[in-house]
């Protein structure tokens, strides 16, 4: 069987296997990739879809209870928590309202299945060119999915889930339904969810009444509600709204003529929201509400003591002087106004709530300077001094510390009333040393100072850190007939249905009498003298019974003016947050100007009476004859102008302060009480004219694009 047998290999009867054609190779490898791709996608979506949120909650609204704050007249101040109005009917809105959102957020909304590969590619290319994220590729449907179901975390898993949910939404709902859901659930800032709540919040009108400009402004908010807020960032909001208007023109939603009309038409933001400084007051109350009623579990209405009209006047006065005195280094200010019962009528916590939410009116502690001296002099009066008691302005040493006067010189003998008007440092320091600084501290505590009061000698000159609200409530005793008050801002808390949750109770026995007569009478007379011819003369208001005290600390770091009329007191502080010096700013300059500007506007509304006399005088008491004439002559003693533009600088605070628990008493005669003698000639301080009255306030301009 030669030549026969088995043959292995590719030879044989079958012949070689034919090679695949290019098309076959494409189909083959396409099938392989498809199979493995399908396997990958199944696994991929199984992993990412495993903990997708429950979409049955689509129509549920999970929100924090809202807290609505009203002023004393029932006007709306603010809403905290979630504000949600009934959903807006898309068909009832002007066509340009939803079109504005589509134009700026998702131009291809009607042409994609929930995600937009074209938009994603365009955003990716733009971000790569810029080297950072400058564009987003999310569609309006993806944004809705994120808002409804997902957290704001930025990671791959959340992005994939967002895309999956967007496709699900597109399969389940029509485009119009998705757009309606979006407009009714998106967050617009200021606690407003949905187009209807936002329209009412920002413009006090229904979304059906929105103008083209207002629609563009709301659409522009969505990119960053706080950054583009028309209240705190009006210029940025106007610029963003203009971008939206341009996109609306490009998309054919509006004509160039409509755009031009929208740019020139003013957009007026709600007066309530425009009062942003009242947010410091709301922050102060927010902490108290939780102490009074616990964590809110239902919507509440808080009736407050604030007067929005006075608040607006306070804001204007503060803003005007901060702008005027910026070159002097005046960067921040705080103001607290109380009525005679301690109700807060106005509160300014800083120059800009948008820039800093720290409330300087309630939380800052700054040295009071000479504004603390009334507590020294009240203690002296209660220890036997009177306004006509003659004291000696002379060098004094207390331990290793020697206070100095602003002038650098000493005036010799003068009355205590003159020492108050001139804010003489040596006399206040010596007097506190003689009557006991611990007694001065007790007096300050009795009137309403709650901060720590050190007993070092410089305490008498205001080396005590206090807040403006403390100073206001302490001085309120001088304004209301000698009664101790505690500043407060909440009158009542109730539900929208009228159920009262909290009602402020008044004392059954009335307020505590903190100052008796004749000491209250003497103090008011001397503090009137500060206004008529002393360091606070620039704050005097013609035809009004006013009194007060200036305060300035070392190197002009803090400047104060605390003044009052019958049943109404206002404390003003200016300075810098970093505690660096201003340039020559004293209590009688910027703070006095703020106080005067505010009080001149407020007094006609208040119809405030004269400063009350207080409790009855002791039987048989008669005012010493020199007192009445002396107070009237304080201005004459100094000539036609006040003794200085402002309060004498407490340079003595630059000296080392002894920290002994029991400071040494005076070791030389110093400014002691002396027997009455013939009046001594006084050295005239440098001539300074009072500050001119501020110009009439211009009406606030509306926001323009």
């Amino acid at each position: 069987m030669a030549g026969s047998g088995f043959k292995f290999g590719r030879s044989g009867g079958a012949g070689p296997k034919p090679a695949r054609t290019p098309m076959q190779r494409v189909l083959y490898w396409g099938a392989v990739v498809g199979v493995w791709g399908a396997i990958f996608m199944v696994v991929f979506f199984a992993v990412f879809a495993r903990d997708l949120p429950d979409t049955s909650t689509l129509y549920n609204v999970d929100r924090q209870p809202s807290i609505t704050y009203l002023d004393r007249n029932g006007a709306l101040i603010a809403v905290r928590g979630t504000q949600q109005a009934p959903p807006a009917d898309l068909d009832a809105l002007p066509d340009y309202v939803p079109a504005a959102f589509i134009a700026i957020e998702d131009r291809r909304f009607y042409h994609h299945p929930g995600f937009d590969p074209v938009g994603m590619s365009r955003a990716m290319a733009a971000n790569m060119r810029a080297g950072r994220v400058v564009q987003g590729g999310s569609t309006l449907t993806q944004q809705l999915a994120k808002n409804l179901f997902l957290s704001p975390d930025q990671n791959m898993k959340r992005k994939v889930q967002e895309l999956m949910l967007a496709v699900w939404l597109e399969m389940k709902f029509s485009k119009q339904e998705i757009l309606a859901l979006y407009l009714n659930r998106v967050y617009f800032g200021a606690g407003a969810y949905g187009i209807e709540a936002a329209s009412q919040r920002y413009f006090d009108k229904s979304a059906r009444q929105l103008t083209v400009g207002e629609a563009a402004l709301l659409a522009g908010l969505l990119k960053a509600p706080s950054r583009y807020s028309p209240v705190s960032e009006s210029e940025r909001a106007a610029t963003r709204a203009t971008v939206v208007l341009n996109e609306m023109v490009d998309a054919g939603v509006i004509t160039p003529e409509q755009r031009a009309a929208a740019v020139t038409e003013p957009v007026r933001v709600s007066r309530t929201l425009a009062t942003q400084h009242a947010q410091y007051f709301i922050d102060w109350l927010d902490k108290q509400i939780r102490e009074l009623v616990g964590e809110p579990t239902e919507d509440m209405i808080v009736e407050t003591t604030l007067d929005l009209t006075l608040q607006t006047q306070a804001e204007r006065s503060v803003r005007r002087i901060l702008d005027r005195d910026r070159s002097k280094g005046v960067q921040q200010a705080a103001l607290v106004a109380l009525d005679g019962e301690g109700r807060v009528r106005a509160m300014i916590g800083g120059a800009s709530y948008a820039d800093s939410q720290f409330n300087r009116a309630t939380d800052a502690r700054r040295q009071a300077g000479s504004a603390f001296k009334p507590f020294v002099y009240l203690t002296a009066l209660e220890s036997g001094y009177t306004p006509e008691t003659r004291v000696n302005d002379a060098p004094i040493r207390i331990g290793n510390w020697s206070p100095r006067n602003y002038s650098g010189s000493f005036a010799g003998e003068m009355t205590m009333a003159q020492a108050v008007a001139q804010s003489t440092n040596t006399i206040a320091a010596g007097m506190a040393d003689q009557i006991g600084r611990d007694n001065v501290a007790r007096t300050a505590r009795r009137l309403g100072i709650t901060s720590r009061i050190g007993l070092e000698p410089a305490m008498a000159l205001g080396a005590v850190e206090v807040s403006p609200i403390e100073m206001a409530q302490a001085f309120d005793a001088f304004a209301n007939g000698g009664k101790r008050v505690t500043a407060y801002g909440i009158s009542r808390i109730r539900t929208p249905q009228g159920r009262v949750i909290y009602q402020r109770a008044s004392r059954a026995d009335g307020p505590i009498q903190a100052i008796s007569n004749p000491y209250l009478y003497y103090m008011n007379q001397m503090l009137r003298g500060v206004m008529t011819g002393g360091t606070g003369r620039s704050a005097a208001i013609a035809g009004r019974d006013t009194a007060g005290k200036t305060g300035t600390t070392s190197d002009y770091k803090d400047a104060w003016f605390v003044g009052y009329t019958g049943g109404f007191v206002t404390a003003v502080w200016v300075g810098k947050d970093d505690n660096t010096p201003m340039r020559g700013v004293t209590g009688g300059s910027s703070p006095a100007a703020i106080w005067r500007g505010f009080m001149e506007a407020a007094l006609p509304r208040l119809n405030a009476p004269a400063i009350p006399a207080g409790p009855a005088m002791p039987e048989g008491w008669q005012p010493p004859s020199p007192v009445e004439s002396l107070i009237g002559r304080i201005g004459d003693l100094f000539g036609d102008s006040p003794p200085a533009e402002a309060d004498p600088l407490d340079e003595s605070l630059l000296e080392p302060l002894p920290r002994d628990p029991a400071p040494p008493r005076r070791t030389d005669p110093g400014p002691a009480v002396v027997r009455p003698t013939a009046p001594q000639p006084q050295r005239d301080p440098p001539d300074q004219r009072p500050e001119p009255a501020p110009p009439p306030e211009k009406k606030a301009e509306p926001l323009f694009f």
Side-chain angles (χ1 to χ4, degrees):
M1 296 185 64
S4 65
F6 295 98
K7 296 184 179 180
F8 300 92
R10 294 186 177 180
S11 60
K17 186 177 181 179
R20 292 188 180 94
T21 66
M23 179 59 68
Q24 289 174 323
R25 284 198 298 269
V26 169
L27 293 173
Y28 174 80
W29 288 111
V32 171
V33 171
V35 170
W36 283 107
I39 295 172
F40 173 79
M41 292 301 293
V42 169
V43 174
F44 182 84
F45 280 103
V47 170
F48 284 97
R50 185 171 50 188
D51 58 349
L52 274 173
D54 181 9
T55 56
S56 65
T57 62
L58 175 64
Y59 295 102
N60 295 344
V61 179
D62 183 16
R63 66 183 185 92
Q64 295 179 346
S66 67
I67 305 177
T68 301
Y69 296 87
L70 306 179
D71 88 336
R72 64 189 301 262
N73 299 307
L76 179 66
I77 303 174
V79 178
R80 292 286 176 90
T82 303
Q83 182 184 12
Q84 196 145 7
D89 181 1
L90 198 64
D91 293 333
L93 298 178
D95 291 341
Y96 52 75
V97 173
F101 292 85
I102 293 174
I104 193 65
E105 292 293 327
D106 187 3
R107 185 82 66 85
R108 290 169 47 82
F109 173 68
Y110 288 106
H111 307 287
H112 61 64
F115 63 95
D116 185 6
V118 175
M120 289 180 177
S121 301
R122 183 173 58 247
M124 189 178 299
N127 295 338
M128 290 179 63
R129 286 195 301 270
R132 57 189 178 88
V133 178
V134 295
Q135 271 189 36
S138 293
T139 64
L140 188 148
T141 314
Q142 287 176 268
Q143 294 178 42
L144 176 62
K146 178 180 67 177
N147 290 335
L148 290 178
F149 305 119
L150 300 172
S151 70
D153 298 336
Q154 294 290 342
N155 55 58
M156 178 61 71
K157 182 177 181 180
R158 191 202 64 78
K159 198 68 179 174
V160 172
Q161 290 182 335
E162 176 188 296
L163 189 148
M164 295 169 65
L165 289 168
V167 173
W168 175 82
L169 285 169
E170 291 278 348
M171 294 173 63
K172 185 174 180 62
F173 300 102
S174 69
K175 289 289 186 179
Q176 287 299 95
E177 290 172 328
I178 291 173
L179 185 57
L181 274 171
Y182 179 81
L183 290 178
N184 284 312
R185 299 295 289 272
V186 73
Y187 182 59
F188 286 89
Y193 284 83
I195 186 73
E196 183 65 29
S199 181
Q200 293 177 6
R201 193 78 182 90
Y202 287 104
F203 308 121
D204 288 330
K205 63 170 68 172
S206 169
R208 296 190 298 270
Q209 301 170 311
L210 288 171
T211 65
V212 172
E214 291 165 346
L217 188 146
L218 291 180
L221 272 175
L222 297 187
K223 184 176 183 180
S226 59
R227 179 176 174 81
Y228 295 105
S229 168
V231 179
S232 58
E233 301 292 343
S234 58
E235 292 185 8
R236 190 175 287 158
T239 302
R240 175 69 176 165
T242 303
V243 172
V244 176
L245 289 172
N246 293 338
E247 292 292 327
M248 293 172 73
V249 172
D250 291 344
V253 175
I254 60 173
T255 64
E257 291 74 22
Q258 286 177 298
R259 178 202 177 280
V263 169
T264 57
E265 182 181 0
V267 174
R268 292 180 172 85
V269 177
S270 165
R271 172 179 172 272
T272 299
L273 274 180
T275 310
Q276 272 296 286
H277 289 97
Q279 301 304 319
Y280 289 112
F281 175 72
I282 299 304
D283 285 349
W284 180 57
L285 297 189
D286 190 62
K287 303 173 186 176
Q288 301 174 35
I289 289 171
R290 282 153 178 79
E291 295 173 0
L292 293 172
V293 302
E295 195 66 28
T297 58
E298 58 184 325
D299 291 351
M300 296 188 302
I301 296 174
V302 179
E303 299 173 2
T304 77
T305 63
L306 197 79
D307 186 319
L308 268 181
T309 300
L310 297 185
Q311 176 71 19
T312 302
Q313 291 163 345
E315 291 173 13
R316 290 176 179 174
S317 183
V318 168
R319 184 75 268 155
R320 181 176 62 244
I321 300 305
L322 287 180
D323 290 343
R324 188 195 73 178
D325 293 347
R326 184 180 292 112
S327 61
K328 298 179 182 179
V330 179
Q331 295 179 354
Q332 289 293 348
L335 179 151
V336 178
L338 308 179
D339 68 12
E341 296 184 21
R343 292 177 287 229
V344 176
R345 296 303 196 204
M347 177 183 287
I348 305 293
S352 170
Y353 184 82
D355 293 338
S356 170
Q357 289 78 54
F358 178 65
N359 191 341
R360 296 154 190 83
T362 60
D363 299 333
R365 298 290 186 275
R366 304 298 290 249
Q367 287 194 350
S370 293
F372 192 81
K373 289 177 182 175
F375 309 128
V376 175
Y377 289 114
L378 176 58
T379 309
L381 291 170
E382 294 172 341
S383 301
Y385 286 75
T386 65
E388 75 273 18
T389 299
R390 300 197 68 80
V391 290
N392 188 23
D393 176 18
I396 181 177
R397 176 169 291 278
I398 304 173
N400 64 348
W401 177 69
S402 294
R404 297 190 298 273
N405 292 323
Y406 177 73
S407 64
S409 60
F410 305 95
E413 288 186 16
M414 63 176 65
T415 65
M416 191 168 81
Q418 290 172 252
V420 173
Q422 296 182 60
S423 202
T424 306
N425 285 341
T426 57
I427 291 175
M431 193 171 288
D433 186 58
Q434 184 178 62
I435 61 180
R437 287 183 290 278
D438 55 342
N439 292 324
V440 174
R442 290 189 187 96
T443 298
R445 188 76 72 210
R446 187 176 84 227
L447 266 60
I449 298 299
T450 57
S451 295
R452 177 189 174 275
I453 303 175
L455 297 181
E456 57 267 21
M459 171 263 269
L461 307 184
V464 177
E465 294 183 344
V466 294
S467 66
I469 197 167
E470 288 177 82
M471 293 297 283
Q473 71 182 11
F475 270 68
D476 211 349
F478 300 133
N480 67 13
K483 299 178 179 65
R484 160 70 188 265
V485 303
T486 299
Y488 71 95
I490 299 175
S491 299
R492 186 170 69 157
I493 303 175
R494 59 180 173 85
T495 66
Q497 293 74 33
R499 180 172 61 86
V500 175
I501 304 173
Y502 164 81
Q503 177 80 51
R504 182 175 176 85
S506 56
R507 289 176 57 95
D509 54 351
I512 298 173
Q513 191 70 38
I515 312 174
S516 59
N517 266 322
Y519 317 120
L520 176 63
Y521 167 79
Y522 287 147
M523 280 303 305
N524 283 333
Q525 287 292 80
M526 291 192 295
L527 293 178
R528 283 185 178 106
V530 173
M531 305 286 277
T532 58
T535 58
R537 185 170 175 178
S538 63
I541 301 173
R544 295 288 184 177
D545 183 18
T546 57
K549 188 69 185 75
T550 55
T552 313
T553 59
S554 300
D555 289 340
Y556 305 99
K557 293 179 181 177
D558 300 281
W560 295 77
F561 189 85
V562 189
Y564 57 93
T565 187
F568 195 79
V569 60
T570 301
V572 179
W573 165 88
V574 303
K576 296 181 180 179
D577 284 340
D578 60 6
N579 207 32
T580 55
M582 297 174 286
R583 287 182 284 280
V585 177
T586 56
S589 57
S590 301
I594 291 172
W595 186 91
R596 182 183 177 188
F598 168 62
M599 293 293 281
E600 281 186 327
L603 286 175
R605 177 177 177 83
L606 294 169
N607 195 24
I611 299 170
M617 292 291 182
E619 186 176 353
W621 178 87
Q622 293 292 330
S625 56
V627 176
E628 302 289 352
S629 58
L630 176 63
I631 298 299
R633 289 190 295 109
I634 287 177
D636 297 333
L637 293 172
F638 298 128
D640 292 332
S641 50
E645 179 186 329
D647 195 56
L649 175 66
D650 291 338
E651 294 184 52
S652 54
L653 301 186
L654 295 172
E655 300 288 332
L657 301 179
R659 298 288 178 178
D660 300 330
R665 295 294 186 185
R666 190 182 65 252
T667 56
D668 61 75
V673 179
V674 298
R675 292 188 300 274
T677 59
Q680 299 295 314
Q682 302 294 318
R683 179 180 291 106
D684 289 334
D687 182 50
Q688 292 285 340
R689 297 293 172 189
E691 282 196 83
E697 181 66 34
K698 293 183 179 179
K699 187 175 181 180
E701 295 293 331
L703 169 67
F704 286 87
F705 294 142

